[in-house]
Amino acid sequence: TLHINCDRLERVFLRLGHAETDEQLQDIISKFLPPVLLKLSSAQEGVRKKVMELLVHLNKRIKSRPKIQLPVETLLVQYQDPAAASFVTNFTIIYIKIGYPRLEVSKQCELAPTLLTAMEGKPQPQQDSLMHLLIPTLYHMKYPSEPSKASPFVLTERPKTVQLLLEFMLDVLLMPYGFVLNEPPSRPAPSSPQGGSGTGAAAAQGLPQPPPGMSVYAVKRVIGEDQWSPEQLEQCKLGIVKFIEAEQVPEVETVIHLVVASSDTRHSVATAADLELKSKQSIIDWNNPLIINKMYKIYLGDIPLKTKGATVKQELKHEPVSTRVKMKILPHLLRSRLAAECFPANIQVVYDGLFGANTNNKLLSLTLQFVHHICMVCPDSNKPLGLMLLNGLTKLINEYKEDPKLLCMAYSAVGKLSSRMPQLFTKDIALVQQFFESMCKEDADVRLAIQEALSMMVGAYVNLQGALLNLMEALVAAYITKPEVQVRQIAMKFAITVFAPDHVGSRYLLLLAAGDPREEVSGEARRALRSLPSTKTEKEGSRPMPSFPEMVGYIQEKAAQRLKTPAKYIVGTSTLPFNPATFGEIVLYLRMCLAYSAGATSTSQSLMDMQDDAPLIGRYVQSLLSNEASPSSATKGGEANPVHIYMALLQQLLSAVGGIPVMYCLLEVVSVCPEKLTPNFVDKIDWIKGLMNTNKEDMRELAAQLYAVVVSTMSGNELRTAVQNLIKTTKDTHSPETQHGAILALGYMVGRYMNKRRSLMPTEPTPKENEELIAIATKAIGSFLDSESPLLTVAAVTALGEIGRNSVLLIPADGNGFTKLSLVDNLLARIPSGKETGKMKERAIQTLGFLPVGDGEFPHQKKILQGLMDSVEAAVFFAVFCVCLFVIYSCFHLTVLFVSCCRSQLSVK
């Protein structure tokens, strides 16, 4: 047998030697190469030796003649024979690798599926060789246009082959054009620390450095025995994209390939992959773990982790991909909720993008977008993730100063993280201070981003207590007066949100903000101060407002401190602790605290609404004054009673600036307890008179009331002197304002005197000298009913109504001159007149209603009722009706008449 086999091989040898042309040599090779290779499995060493000699000769002939074709198809069949010895298959694939590239393109395309089939179960190096043959062919493959038609590749039953092919394709797509694998020096550098990775890790172990995203092994198998030129590599990559477009493998397996290809430096490859990605965008499930895990793996490479078991061999370790690829992967991670939840891969991507050696502004921007995505999606229970994100963002904020837009994104991300994981921020007051300080230094755009971040962070501090709360108060106080309006705005927001509504210190800071020159600051502060918190937002155990004694004592303390600092404010010759706007808000807020402590619930600052609280305030003020000696009613340190402090603040502001609401507050508190409070004003009569001469009508009216309250508590002689002086002042024709104030003061003074006397001594008659003086005063007021000045006429009507409300008018019932009848006729005539103002009509109606109140036997009650009903107008009917109720209250016997009049009037109207 040995002789026969050797003889046959010798004849083949001779035929090869006698082949003179390429055609003859090709025929002999096609006929005899496959059976000759089979002889390599012979048990006879002589036969195997003869075959090797033949193959060596054949190789020399083939290499010098590149156009000679080999029987590739037969060799592929022989290579796949499961009975073939490994020695045979090892040599068979050598000739497949030589012959396949020599085939025509159409024949290569025809045999391409067979290459994949032949890979099954073969050693890794041989599989790599077959894939290296297959990849260039994919560019020329023709695929059916309709999915229903048979595909050239049938891969559904070969999952292992598909995975090998996809891995190889990914390495091809990652391969840089013109890359040369340089071997490291023969003496390697010292090894890197355990677990280290990066550009020097491979060389440190005596291996060449692979390109980004690849391992040393991956580079070697892509290069193969014959490295592709840049143009060939471009075609290979286009062929892979084309293969993916034809849906030869499941799309979920190839998403990462398209993403990598879309980052290619060659326009043709990147464009083709981008178009394919866009066409599949709506059908790709970006929350598929298979897709996301592959993206993270290619992005990060084989990073050694403590949680991993066995470490990857250095030759097989993949490096992280290039920055160019990372910038293509991140936008797709932004589409995935799962990507934001994959810990620790997500934080590794974040730190690489923020602080990696090869990062750039675009990658930084994408990474910060990914941080925003994580903050919105990740579970709020993942404390390690949140802590690392916060540390990374603060590190970036502290170190990065190049692009303001990126800084803005970083600040905004911190804000979103605080909303997601407030527990990370609660005890970190220093971070708030850092952001406040940055707002004072950064440009306007960055300042706005910090403001937004702090606005989101404020919710993390709503439950502060003890020392932390005190630190926050000091922090807000330090920044609520800064020059930058955004700083003041956000400091105000912290004051509103972090502290309970009855927290005295924060309310003081809000009062400072309420006097801010910028409306966006002052308006928000005023709204916060004047709105009672809802039950949902009110903190447990807190009250809607501070108590009056606490708040007024705190204000006094701060006012005294500010008067010693440059913060004081000078108005003319007066020095105020606050600017007028702030001071005005302070006294009005103190009045709200007073009303609240007295039991009122309204926070309105309308004078009409404020008057409704007077009875409650009166009882509360009296209780404070009655316990003046007890510690509970005094401010800290046993100082003055809170009522006196409140009055002193009102006088201080009123003297320097004025203000009708301030004047009302002072009048209110003095009126409710005149016996104890008016002595403080005995030496301030001239000051009150000055307020009665101001150019504001409402101020003069309130000052006249205050003057009446103070003077009415004086002794008889002083009272008579005051009345006489006022009567004299009413005749001062040089100043209508002075006359106006005197008329009103005269009416209020007489009214209070008569009311007081009637309540204290109801049975005793008024002393004759006082009665004469009152009659003179009443006639003096009545003389202005026909004044040419509407201002004085209104004052006279008001003053007469005040006297009539409290006592009998000391003028004749009828007859000539100024009588009760002429007064009623005068007032009734004004109501329907078209020449009179609305205020005049209102005061006339009011006075008519008051007349029977102070005089139960007023002789012209029926005339008043009938006259009012006859002069009813739609615009004033309600006011008329209300006044008539006063009349009915005093004159019950006229009720039937009143009802009949109302019915007749309503039927007409």
Side-chain angles (χ1 to χ4, degrees):
T1 306
L2 174 63
H3 179 73
I4 294 171
N5 286 335
C6 288
D7 185 55
R8 289 176 180 173
L9 289 171
E10 190 64 36
R11 287 200 300 270
V12 173
F13 215 139
L14 289 173
R15 293 189 68 173
L16 286 172
H18 286 90
E20 296 179 354
T21 64
D22 288 352
E23 288 79 10
Q24 292 173 345
L25 182 60
Q26 180 174 306
D27 289 341
I28 294 169
I29 291 172
S30 298
K31 185 176 182 180
F32 293 105
L33 180 57
V36 166
L37 289 172
L38 288 174
K39 294 298 182 181
L40 287 170
S41 62
S42 173
Q44 299 165 342
E45 185 177 351
V47 174
R48 297 198 301 272
K49 185 177 180 181
K50 194 67 177 177
V51 171
M52 293 300 295
E53 290 177 4
L54 178 61
L55 293 178
V56 169
H57 174 76
L58 181 61
N59 289 349
K60 292 179 181 179
R61 298 284 298 273
I62 293 173
K63 286 181 179 179
S64 62
R65 291 170 173 80
K67 292 186 178 180
I68 290 179
Q69 300 290 320
L70 302 183
V72 176
E73 192 168 3
T74 306
L75 291 172
L76 281 170
V77 173
Q78 186 170 294
Y79 177 75
Q80 296 178 75
D81 184 3
S86 59
F87 203 58
V88 174
T89 55
N90 290 346
F91 274 86
T92 302
I93 195 171
I94 292 173
Y95 291 98
I96 292 174
K97 289 192 290 183
I98 296 172
Y100 187 83
R102 299 184 178 197
L103 297 173
E104 294 181 359
V105 171
S106 59
K107 189 64 178 176
Q108 288 183 25
C109 294
E110 181 185 333
L111 295 178
T114 310
L115 289 179
L116 279 178
T117 306
M119 286 171 52
E120 198 78 20
K122 294 298 186 289
Q124 183 78 46
Q126 294 182 15
Q127 291 176 328
D128 292 345
S129 298
L130 291 171
M131 287 189 289
H132 201 276
L133 294 176
L134 172 66
I135 294 300
T137 310
L138 295 178
Y139 179 77
H140 305 285
M141 290 291 295
K142 304 292 183 185
Y143 302 99
S145 56
E146 298 179 10
S148 57
K149 293 186 178 179
S151 174
F153 297 100
V154 181
L155 300 172
T156 53
E157 298 178 0
R158 295 182 172 83
K160 292 183 179 179
T161 302
V162 170
Q163 288 306 313
L164 289 171
L165 179 62
L166 290 172
E167 288 176 12
F168 191 86
M169 286 179 167
L170 189 56
D171 287 334
V172 172
L173 292 170
L174 287 166
M175 187 72 179
Y177 297 99
F179 179 79
V180 177
L181 190 65
N182 294 318
E183 294 294 333
S186 57
R187 180 177 292 179
S191 60
S192 60
Q194 186 175 2
S197 63
T199 55
Q205 297 193 16
L207 295 171
Q209 180 59 40
M214 302 184 74
S215 65
V216 175
Y217 171 74
V219 178
K220 288 181 177 179
R221 75 172 182 169
V222 172
I223 291 176
E225 297 175 9
D226 185 16
Q227 184 171 1
W228 295 313
S229 68
E231 288 69 28
Q232 289 173 327
L233 181 58
E234 181 181 3
Q235 277 201 353
C236 290
K237 292 183 179 182
L238 284 170
I240 293 171
V241 175
K242 188 177 177 183
F243 176 83
I244 294 171
E245 287 177 359
E247 299 180 359
Q248 298 302 297
V249 289
E251 64 188 23
V252 70
E253 302 277 2
T254 58
V255 172
I256 188 62
H257 296 71
L258 292 174
V259 173
V260 171
S262 68
S263 69
D264 200 82
T265 55
R266 296 280 173 110
H267 177 72
S268 58
V269 180
T271 303
D274 259 333
L275 290 172
E276 181 62 16
L277 261 180
K278 288 175 182 176
S279 68
K280 292 184 175 181
Q281 200 68 258
S282 59
I283 59 174
I284 294 174
D285 179 10
W286 293 106
N287 289 311
N288 189 311
L290 186 61
I291 296 175
I292 299 305
N293 290 339
K294 283 187 176 183
M295 284 192 176
Y296 273 130
K297 188 176 188 311
I298 192 71
Y299 189 107
L300 298 168
D302 293 314
I303 297 177
L305 295 173
K306 294 180 180 179
T307 54
K308 270 194 173 182
T311 56
V312 182
K313 290 182 180 180
Q314 189 60 48
E315 187 181 13
L316 300 176
K317 185 179 290 185
H318 285 77
E319 295 292 324
V321 290
S322 66
T323 303
R324 188 182 182 93
V325 181
K326 290 175 182 177
M327 290 191 296
K328 285 293 183 179
I329 292 176
L330 272 171
H332 301 296
L333 294 181
L334 289 170
R335 294 187 174 93
S336 171
R337 183 183 184 88
L338 178 64
E341 297 174 348
C342 286
F343 181 78
N346 52 4
I347 198 67
Q348 289 170 332
V349 166
V350 169
Y351 269 73
D352 176 81
L354 297 182
F355 309 111
N358 298 318
T359 191
N360 57 30
N361 278 5
K362 186 173 181 182
L363 183 59
L364 264 174
S365 176
L366 288 169
T367 304
L368 286 170
Q369 290 179 47
F370 187 52
V371 172
H372 282 246
H373 182 52
I374 294 174
C375 292
M376 295 175 65
V377 169
C378 72
D380 53 12
S381 58
N382 193 337
K383 187 176 180 180
L385 170 63
L387 195 57
M388 285 187 276
L389 280 177
L390 181 58
N391 291 339
L393 289 168
T394 51
K395 183 175 186 290
L396 181 71
I397 287 169
N398 292 335
E399 298 176 0
Y400 184 81
K401 303 298 177 187
E402 296 174 20
D403 188 348
K405 292 183 179 178
L406 295 181
L407 263 182
C408 291
M409 291 179 68
Y411 278 114
S412 179
V414 173
K416 287 185 178 178
L417 183 62
S418 71
S419 299
R420 192 73 178 175
M421 299 182 182
Q423 67 275 14
L424 298 176
F425 294 75
T426 302
K427 296 183 179 180
D428 194 359
I429 307 294
L431 182 63
V432 181
Q433 183 175 9
Q434 178 189 337
F435 278 26
F436 268 113
E437 196 59 35
S438 298
M439 283 186 75
C440 299
K441 297 176 181 177
E442 296 288 355
D443 295 335
D445 291 341
V446 180
R447 194 182 301 153
L448 181 61
I450 302 174
Q451 181 184 0
E452 292 174 353
L454 284 170
S455 295
M456 289 185 275
M457 289 167 62
V458 68
Y461 302 96
V462 293
N463 295 316
L464 290 182
Q465 293 179 348
L468 287 176
L469 190 66
N470 294 336
L471 281 174
M472 182 62 78
E473 182 184 347
L475 181 67
V476 174
Y479 289 96
I480 205 163
T481 55
K482 289 290 183 179
E484 297 79 11
V485 63
Q486 292 95 336
V487 178
R488 302 199 302 273
Q489 271 186 293
I490 199 62
M492 177 191 62
K493 188 174 182 68
F494 269 78
I496 294 171
T497 310
V498 174
F499 302 92
D502 61 345
H503 184 264
V504 175
S506 64
R507 299 311 99 175
Y508 167 72
L509 296 176
L510 284 176
L511 287 168
L512 294 181
D516 197 276
R518 296 290 291 266
E519 173 60 29
E520 57 264 43
V521 179
S522 59
E524 184 66 24
R526 287 195 299 270
R527 283 190 289 273
L529 289 167
R530 296 175 189 177
S531 61
L532 293 176
S534 65
T535 53
K536 293 182 179 179
T537 59
E538 189 173 348
K539 294 189 176 183
E540 185 178 355
S542 69
R543 299 163 298 179
M545 296 183 75
S547 74
F548 175 71
E550 290 178 359
M551 195 70 211
V552 78
Y554 191 87
I555 294 294
Q556 182 197 33
E557 179 183 342
K558 291 297 180 182
Q561 292 173 3
R562 288 172 67 93
L563 285 173
K564 301 174 184 178
T565 69
K568 62 187 177 183
Y569 195 90
I570 298 176
V571 181
T573 58
S574 302
T575 302
L576 302 179
F578 311 97
N579 69 57
T582 301
F583 209 162
E585 291 297 330
I586 286 174
V587 296
L588 289 176
Y589 186 71
L590 287 176
R591 197 273 175 191
M592 287 171 57
C593 293
L594 175 62
Y596 168 73
S597 297
T601 56
S602 172
T603 59
S604 172
Q605 292 188 353
S606 162
L607 295 185
M608 293 294 294
D609 295 334
M610 290 166 73
Q611 291 177 28
D612 296 339
D613 303 330
L616 290 172
I617 291 174
R619 287 190 287 272
Y620 179 69
V621 169
Q622 287 174 357
S623 69
L624 288 178
L625 293 172
S626 63
N627 300 321
E628 199 162 355
S630 68
S632 61
S633 64
T635 56
K636 186 167 55 175
E639 296 173 358
N641 187 284
V643 177
H644 295 305
I645 300 172
Y646 174 56
M647 289 171 54
L649 291 170
L650 290 169
Q651 292 176 67
Q652 189 177 12
L653 179 60
L654 202 56
S655 299
V657 182
I660 293 169
V662 182
M663 185 67 224
Y664 171 79
C665 293
L666 181 61
L667 170 64
E668 178 184 60
V669 74
V670 175
S671 299
V672 295
C673 196
E675 296 80 10
K676 291 192 175 184
L677 297 180
T678 51
N680 297 329
F681 292 90
V682 171
D683 58 348
K684 295 183 175 64
I685 292 295
D686 292 339
W687 174 71
I688 299 174
K689 284 184 176 180
L691 295 175
M692 289 166 55
N693 298 332
T694 61
N695 56 3
K696 293 183 179 179
E697 182 179 348
D698 291 341
M699 175 63 82
R700 291 195 299 272
E701 185 165 349
L702 292 171
Q705 292 187 58
L706 179 61
Y707 181 83
V709 172
V710 174
V711 174
S712 63
T713 60
M714 294 179 179
S715 63
N717 292 333
E718 291 175 329
L719 179 62
R720 283 193 293 274
T721 302
V723 172
Q724 289 168 354
N725 289 336
L726 285 176
I727 294 172
K728 184 178 179 181
T729 306
T730 59
K731 299 175 182 178
D732 182 4
T733 57
H734 299 292
S735 174
E737 289 80 8
T738 303
Q739 288 179 290
H740 179 258
I743 293 169
L744 289 170
L746 201 55
Y748 286 121
M749 189 187 304
V750 172
R752 285 193 72 87
Y753 169 78
M754 297 299 291
N755 180 278
K756 182 178 178 181
R757 181 164 187 81
R758 187 169 62 176
S759 60
L760 295 177
M761 296 173 286
T763 58
E764 294 184 17
T766 305
K768 189 172 182 181
E769 62 274 19
N770 288 354
E771 188 173 313
E772 291 176 355
L773 188 59
I774 291 170
I776 293 170
T778 306
K779 291 178 181 179
I781 295 170
S783 66
F784 288 95
L785 284 176
D786 298 319
S787 172
E788 295 180 358
S789 171
L791 177 69
L792 300 181
T793 305
V794 172
V797 172
T798 305
L800 289 171
E802 189 64 19
I803 296 173
R805 182 172 70 88
N806 291 286
S807 69
V808 177
L809 287 177
L810 299 181
I811 56 176
D814 47 32
N816 298 325
F818 180 51
T819 63
K820 295 177 182 178
L821 180 59
S822 67
L823 174 61
V824 171
D825 290 337
N826 185 299
L827 295 178
L828 286 174
R830 295 180 184 278
I831 298 173
S833 173
K835 297 179 181 181
E836 303 294 348
T837 63
K839 185 174 184 180
M840 171 61 81
K841 293 181 179 182
E842 179 185 342
R843 294 294 175 90
I845 294 170
Q846 187 181 62
T847 298
L848 285 168
F850 283 159
L851 293 178
V853 175
D855 183 4
E857 302 298 327
F858 190 77
H860 307 296
Q861 294 179 15
K862 184 173 180 180
K863 183 177 182 67
I864 292 174
L865 267 177
Q866 189 63 55
L868 286 174
M869 301 308 298
D870 290 341
S871 59
V872 163
E873 296 175 13
V876 295
F877 179 77
F878 184 73
V880 173
F881 182 78
C882 292
V883 173
C884 287
L885 289 180
F886 280 112
V887 181
I888 297 168
Y889 177 77
S890 302
C891 318
F892 187 74
H893 64 280
L894 294 177
T895 301
V896 176
L897 172 64
F898 172 71
V899 172
S900 63
C901 289
C902 283
R903 285 177 176 171
S904 63
Q905 285 295 334
L906 287 173
S907 64
V908 172
K909 296 299 178 182

